[in-house]
Amino acid sequence: MPESSPQDAITGAVRRVLRPLVRQLVHHGVTFPVVAKLLKQLFVQVAEEEFKLPRRKVSDSRVALITGIPRKEVAGLRDAPPAARGLPLDTHLATRLIGRWTSEPRFLTPDGQPQVLPFETADASPSFSELVKRCGGDIPARAVLDELVRVGAARVSPSRDITLLAQRYIPATGTVEKIDMLGEDAAQFISTIGHNVLAPPDDLYFQQKIEFDNIGSRGVPTLERHLRRLADAFLTKVTDLMAAYDRDRNPAAPGGKRTRVTMGAYSSEEAEPEKEDT
């Protein structure tokens, strides 16, 4: 069998990546013409931003050459306004807020647990509103609290004190925010793999997984509970470590260009075809 080319390999990889994405698109009523237009816009955007020649403006002809999109279409696509997001809550804000609440000493009890916070205070003691302000963004603290309560990440007592119930922000099933996380998390993971495909051995990002293919389905629920506990413990340690390097929380952390670092954990399951005895 002849060895496949990198183009064949990437085409096959894209097909596997797109299949679950197409399933989501069809489920949510997004048609092929809409996606085709979006892909054209992205091809033009990537060609324009990431394949520039030194000290030269990227022309419509060069974009057309790189992408295979007719030059007459390129000009219109370059002038098209960006799509509006319109999300009710920035998932980065919610993630940063819970991260601070679980790691920043000002918002922790003496034994290292997240404090129960009042919404606002008249003195200098910690409050939920202060926590939101420290995380940046322009969403009112009340809107952030309503979202955390809605997804079960926080609880408000009759005395209006706020208790954190979850160590990480996970939007409710089927919400716009969770769909946005599909794009955010999948894009980061694909970017990591893409970097590792091209990078030299001494500049690889962390990318590993563990997989077993003959686990009985009756044991999966119990295994999944154990994996969740391990992942929660791991991510709690990661939060503490990354907080020590985050300059918003530790002014003495190393300097340099502002950089976003992400570490995640996930699990999945799918039925395997039964193997015939030989």
Side-chain angles (χ1 to χ4, degrees):
M1 178 181 293
E3 184 177 351
S4 62
S5 68
Q7 289 83 0
D8 292 334
I10 191 67
T11 301
V14 168
R15 182 182 181 87
R16 294 193 297 274
V17 168
L18 287 181
R19 184 176 180 87
L21 182 58
V22 168
R23 186 185 306 123
Q24 290 290 323
L25 292 168
V26 173
H27 177 80
H28 291 284
V30 181
T31 62
F32 174 75
V34 173
V35 177
K37 182 177 180 180
L38 175 61
L39 277 175
K40 286 184 178 181
Q41 291 174 335
L42 287 173
F43 265 78
V44 169
Q45 182 180 353
V46 170
E48 184 176 17
E49 295 178 357
E50 300 187 27
F51 290 86
K52 298 178 180 178
L53 294 174
R55 298 181 295 278
R56 292 183 61 181
K57 184 179 179 180
V58 181
S59 66
D60 290 349
S61 297
R62 174 166 170 76
V63 173
L65 178 65
I66 294 174
T67 64
I69 299 172
R71 188 169 61 86
K72 291 182 179 180
E73 289 188 55
V74 169
L77 292 168
R78 295 178 82 173
D79 294 337
R85 283 170 55 89
L87 292 177
L89 179 61
D90 180 357
T91 56
H92 289 305
L93 173 61
T95 300
R96 289 198 305 271
L97 183 141
I98 293 178
R100 278 179 175 267
W101 202 346
T102 57
S103 65
E104 192 162 319
R106 177 167 173 77
F107 300 102
L108 297 176
T109 62
D111 61 351
Q113 298 301 308
Q115 288 188 44
V116 176
L117 298 174
F119 184 78
E120 290 182 329
T121 56
D123 54 21
S125 57
S127 71
F128 183 82
S129 295
E130 177 197 351
L131 182 59
V132 174
K133 289 179 181 178
R134 286 183 175 228
C135 293
D138 56 0
I139 300 178
R142 172 56 60 185
V144 177
L145 176 59
D146 289 344
E147 167 65 6
L148 294 181
V149 170
R150 183 178 70 84
V151 302
R155 179 181 64 228
V156 182
S157 72
S159 61
R160 301 187 63 77
D161 289 329
I162 303 161
T163 301
L164 181 66
L165 301 179
Q167 296 292 305
R168 276 160 285 282
Y169 173 70
I170 303 177
T173 301
T175 64
V176 173
E177 299 96 315
K178 181 158 277 189
I179 295 173
D180 185 62
M181 290 180 74
L182 165 66
E184 181 74 28
D185 293 354
Q188 288 178 337
F189 187 46
I190 293 173
S191 179
T192 292
I193 297 174
H195 172 88
N196 289 347
V197 167
L198 301 175
D202 60 349
D203 187 33
L204 299 178
Y205 295 157
F206 182 81
Q207 175 204 333
Q208 293 185 21
K209 72 175 183 179
I210 299 170
E211 181 178 293
F212 290 80
D213 66 355
N214 192 17
I215 294 175
S217 60
R218 289 193 294 272
V220 169
T222 302
L223 174 61
E224 185 69 24
R225 287 194 295 272
H226 287 306
L227 292 176
R228 284 179 179 270
R229 283 196 291 268
L230 286 171
D232 280 339
F234 164 70
L235 291 175
T236 297
K237 292 181 178 180
V238 169
T239 298
D240 294 340
L241 176 62
M242 293 178 72
Y245 284 83
D246 184 85
R247 290 175 293 185
D248 290 331
R249 305 179 206 186
N250 179 16
K257 183 179 179 181
R258 185 180 183 121
T259 306
R260 182 189 302 276
V261 178
T262 302
M263 172 70 77
Y266 74 95
S267 66
S268 68
E269 60 183 79
E270 59 182 306
E272 282 283 299
E274 294 293 335
K275 294 182 179 179
E276 296 183 2
D277 293 334
T278 58

